[in-house]
Amino acid sequence: MEPLHWKLVIDTRDPHAQAAFWAVALGYVEEDHSALVGQLLGAGAVPPEATLTVHPGTPQERLGWHDLAAVRHPDDPVSEENGAGLGRRILFQRVPEEKTVKNRLHLDVHTDPGTRDAQVERLEKLGATVQRRVAEQGGSWVVMNDPEGNEFCVQ
């Protein structure tokens, strides 16, 4: 059996803000779906309210989906058809409800030896917050929250 392809999907209030945060945090690339969005708009297959302008007024300005945004590893292949990553990928989808409880699934971000504190400081400048520092017999890490309160660990 061939391995299955997968992506991690995160519910969010603002998919584009989350994609922007995680792209910088991980050194990933925000996916550009503008060609597909423009094609579907032009064909009348989607209504204009299903889309928006991502990063308006910047050199990165482009069309995007209103309720979806994604980031991908910069070294992984990309679909020429729709701009979606074909490898390591995180998709952010807009949901109406707020986050109310601890995540049942989270990312662990691994840093180079001796760089964890600098990475934690960098992530705080991007909008993450430190929830707590953990030191146990098996290791140590920092539990953080992304700008919408989703937990992740920095090791």
Side-chain angles (χ1 to χ4, degrees):
M1 182 171 121
E2 289 292 317
L4 298 173
H5 292 280
W6 59 273
K7 65 182 164 285
L8 177 63
V9 180
I10 299 176
D11 292 346
T12 179
R13 289 179 312 220
D14 186 342
H16 295 281
Q18 284 291 86
F21 169 81
W22 282 105
V24 175
L26 296 174
Y28 273 37
V29 175
E30 289 182 61
E31 291 185 354
D32 182 352
H33 305 128
S34 60
L36 177 63
V37 172
Q39 179 184 22
L40 293 173
L41 275 172
V46 296
E49 57 272 9
T51 70
L52 54 68
T53 300
V54 180
H55 303 299
T58 71
Q60 296 81 27
E61 181 175 307
R62 65 182 186 277
L63 283 174
W65 298 114
H66 183 268
D67 294 330
L68 296 170
V71 298
R72 64 172 179 79
H73 192 283
D75 296 336
D76 290 349
V78 178
S79 167
E80 292 180 24
E81 186 177 314
N82 61 23
L86 300 173
R88 295 161 280 189
R89 183 174 189 235
I90 305 172
L91 176 72
F92 302 93
Q93 68 180 0
R94 187 182 311 275
V95 295
E97 66 274 1
E98 297 284 327
K99 180 183 178 300
T100 58
V101 297
K102 182 183 181 302
N103 297 13
R104 294 292 305 259
L105 176 75
H106 68 267
L107 296 177
D108 277 358
V109 177
H110 295 267
T111 62
D112 289 333
T115 66
R116 183 179 64 209
D117 290 341
Q119 289 291 347
V120 166
E121 185 176 317
R122 182 182 72 85
L123 293 166
E124 286 180 302
K125 289 177 182 173
L126 293 173
T129 56
V130 172
Q131 189 182 98
R132 69 182 180 281
R133 295 179 185 275
V134 179
E136 295 181 353
Q137 191 170 9
S140 64
W141 59 92
V142 179
V143 179
M144 298 188 78
N145 295 98
D146 74 12
E148 286 199 8
N150 299 301
E151 297 90 6
F152 67 100
C153 296
V154 180
Q155 299 185 347

